[in-house]
Amino acid sequence: MSSLRSWFSIPRGSHFSLANIPFGIISTASSTTPRVAVAIGDHALDLEAFAANNGFSALSTIQPHQSVFSQPSLNAFAALGRPLHSVVRKYIQSIFFENTPYPDVLKTNEALQNQVLIPIAEVKNHIPFKIGDYTDFFAGYHHAYHCGVMFRGPDDAMNPNYKHLPVGYHGRASSVVVSGTPIRRPHGQILDNPAAAKKVPIFSQCRKLDFELELGAFVCTPNEQGKPVSIDHAEENIFGLVMMNDWSARDVQSWEYIPLGPFNAKNFGTSISPWVVLMDALEPFKVKGIENDSDILPYLRQKGEDTVYDIQLQVDLKTNSGNSATITKTNGRHLIWSFPQMLAHHTITGCNLQSGDLLGSGTISGTSPSERGSLLERSENGKQVLPIANGEERTFIQDGDEITFTGVCGTDEESLVGFGQCTGKIEPAVDLGF
């Protein structure tokens, strides 16, 4: 897409170009109350201060709602709906245009610039939404297939329902944390000897701690209980996307997941990136996902072929001794179900989603080993070591290791639409005293 020129200095290669305008929650040392902001280059525009100083004077549609920018979460702003999100984003873009139609708002007002434009390095990011519920799906086809082959063989790799509905489970909203929050290694029941005839677990620290490379979608418009959201309108109920790390205790998971699925293996922590990229910003990067050759039911049939996003995704691992390596490069196009399909399926029973509810995509993997979005796949469940640097290797994550996800759309360094980073460092398990 063509670049948008700005009077404001935006570094080339920034994930937060003028084409983006992602929303988040910030605080500063001088103003510790969390409030709404957008990222622009290497700065955050404090929307609470901007609104208080008549920054939205030329946008009448938001003026009755400006209190949403003083909230400690994006829930209230998101609940206003996609049309208003779009208007606010376009207005913010316009005040930064080189030939802005509103030069008096910010371009020529240096005093206001100094008040509302804060270097990102000086802000503290907070979790962007108050999350009522979190549902994680399993829409990464290559991840599902590869894991199925590992555990059940190629003939039985995919369950019969996989191409007919977006498989999902309800996760733990209370343990979703913003990027940079440490994650503590969990304890749980594991099978010390899976090959033994008698299956008897032991209690242990997790020995197979893993990341899962995902995207997350936040719900904006709620639906009334008992009234499903149609596939034709589902996209209007989505505010925007973040990167998401669904930390997983693989050894705990393998023992507990039958018959009701993941539980303690997933509930100890999920990390998300702090800036939410709006659906409007992602629209130019829509692409066709993995072809679903099943005859899906009418309530899941989405119009158009381009239903997922060309997001370049990368995973870096920094070891506890300081060595680092890029261990995965893949793409958001490797999904067989879209977020609108996930939302339509979630609500088909009449389930009422709320503003701020989080939907996870499931692990996104490509076809080659270097495109696999988890260490379970990269190491073939611990059977193959992954070289890092200077002789260090990994099969699963060790204490002190740090995992960083990055995701970005586009190739024009002046118009990238990116997510920044989603980072988490593993702390040792707590001493339980037994």
Side-chain angles (χ1 to χ4, degrees):
M1 62 185 296
S2 60
S3 62
L4 303 174
R5 295 197 175 275
S6 176
W7 57 263
F8 186 65
S9 179
I10 300 174
R12 287 181 63 86
S14 171
H15 281 203
F16 308 134
S17 74
L18 196 53
N20 194 348
I21 314 296
F23 285 72
I25 300 295
I26 67 163
S27 64
T28 57
S30 60
S31 181
T32 57
T33 301
R35 67 271 190 190
V36 177
V38 296
I40 179 79
D42 53 9
H43 284 70
L45 174 64
D46 183 337
L47 292 187
E48 179 185 51
F50 184 68
N53 287 275
N54 299 314
F56 288 104
S57 58
L59 186 64
S60 59
T61 52
I62 194 61
Q63 289 174 20
H65 310 288
Q66 290 185 87
S67 62
V68 299
F69 300 126
S70 300
Q71 300 299 310
S73 74
L74 290 170
N75 294 61
F77 176 59
L80 295 175
R82 283 278 302 272
L84 198 52
H85 309 156
S86 180
V87 167
V88 171
R89 174 177 171 269
K90 288 178 180 177
Y91 175 74
I92 293 171
Q93 284 180 315
S94 73
I95 65 170
F96 283 101
F97 286 160
E98 187 173 61
N99 297 317
T100 174
Y102 315 110
D104 295 343
V105 172
L106 197 61
K107 181 178 180 180
T108 61
N109 191 340
E110 291 188 15
L112 185 58
Q113 289 179 36
N114 293 332
Q115 185 176 348
V116 302
L117 285 165
I118 309 164
I120 284 181
E122 297 177 12
V123 307
K124 178 180 180 181
N125 290 112
H126 300 267
I127 195 157
F129 280 87
K130 182 179 180 181
I131 304 169
D133 281 296
Y134 155 46
T135 303
D136 199 18
F137 287 89
F138 195 41
Y141 176 83
H142 298 303
H143 170 74
Y145 178 77
H146 189 228
C147 289
V149 170
M150 276 196 291
F151 293 110
R152 296 184 297 274
D155 294 336
D156 239 359
M158 306 300 285
N159 289 321
N161 65 353
Y162 186 81
K163 291 184 179 181
H164 291 275
L165 58 84
V167 176
Y169 72 94
H170 288 282
R172 185 69 188 175
S174 64
S175 54
V176 179
V177 296
V178 72
S179 172
T181 305
I183 300 294
R184 190 170 291 277
R185 182 178 297 272
H187 290 85
Q189 291 191 27
I190 67 173
L191 280 182
D192 193 37
N193 183 9
K198 187 176 182 180
K199 308 300 183 187
V200 178
I202 64 169
F203 184 77
S204 170
Q205 297 180 16
C206 168
R207 301 173 183 176
K208 292 183 175 181
L209 187 58
D210 199 1
F211 65 83
E212 292 198 49
L213 175 60
E214 304 195 22
L215 294 169
F218 278 106
V219 174
C220 56
T221 309
N223 62 295
E224 184 180 339
Q225 187 172 5
K227 294 187 177 180
V229 178
S230 75
I231 188 63
D232 291 337
H233 297 99
E235 191 168 357
E236 292 302 308
N237 290 59
I238 300 173
F239 178 76
L241 303 189
V242 291
M243 286 184 302
M244 191 173 92
N245 186 344
D246 178 31
W247 302 95
S248 298
R250 297 300 189 184
D251 41 7
V252 176
Q253 182 179 359
S254 66
W255 171 242
E256 75 173 7
Y257 83 101
I258 298 173
L260 294 183
F263 182 46
N264 281 347
K266 304 280 190 173
N267 69 7
F268 61 96
T270 300
S271 302
I272 61 172
S273 51
W275 298 103
V276 187
V277 179
L278 297 192
M279 306 308 288
D280 282 3
L282 293 167
E283 187 69 22
F285 305 101
K286 272 188 170 179
V287 291
K288 186 177 180 180
I290 293 173
E291 184 177 357
N292 190 336
D293 57 8
S294 68
D295 186 17
I296 63 173
L297 293 171
Y299 79 95
L300 287 171
R301 293 176 190 163
Q302 190 171 0
K303 293 178 180 177
E305 292 188 345
D306 296 339
T307 59
V308 298
Y309 300 97
D310 181 10
I311 305 172
Q312 302 156 50
L313 299 167
Q314 180 171 310
V315 181
D316 291 277
L317 188 155
K318 183 179 180 181
T319 71
N320 47 24
S321 59
N323 292 312
S324 62
T326 296
I327 57 175
T328 294
K329 285 188 176 182
T330 187
N331 196 286
R333 66 174 66 234
H334 294 306
L335 294 174
I336 195 169
W337 298 104
S338 70
F339 280 113
Q341 287 174 312
M342 295 177 216
L343 191 144
H345 180 65
H346 203 317
T347 66
I348 196 62
T349 58
C351 174
N352 52 318
L353 300 183
Q354 303 294 324
S355 297
D357 283 357
L358 176 63
L359 309 178
S361 65
T363 304
I364 302 173
S365 295
T367 55
S368 70
S370 63
E371 295 177 292
R372 293 170 182 169
S374 68
L375 284 173
L376 176 71
E377 297 170 87
R378 293 291 272 123
S379 72
E380 297 288 339
N381 196 21
K383 295 176 183 177
Q384 297 181 7
V385 296
L386 186 67
I388 305 299
N390 298 319
E392 277 202 281
E393 301 171 328
R394 289 291 184 272
T395 52
F396 290 97
I397 303 170
Q398 296 184 12
D399 291 347
D401 287 353
E402 184 176 75
I403 301 294
T404 298
F405 294 174
T406 52
V408 65
C409 303
T411 56
D412 184 340
E413 289 198 345
E414 292 184 349
S415 298
L416 298 180
V417 172
F419 295 81
Q421 293 187 336
C422 179
T423 299
K425 188 174 184 178
I426 299 302
E427 294 185 338
V430 65
D431 184 1
L432 298 178
F434 59 86

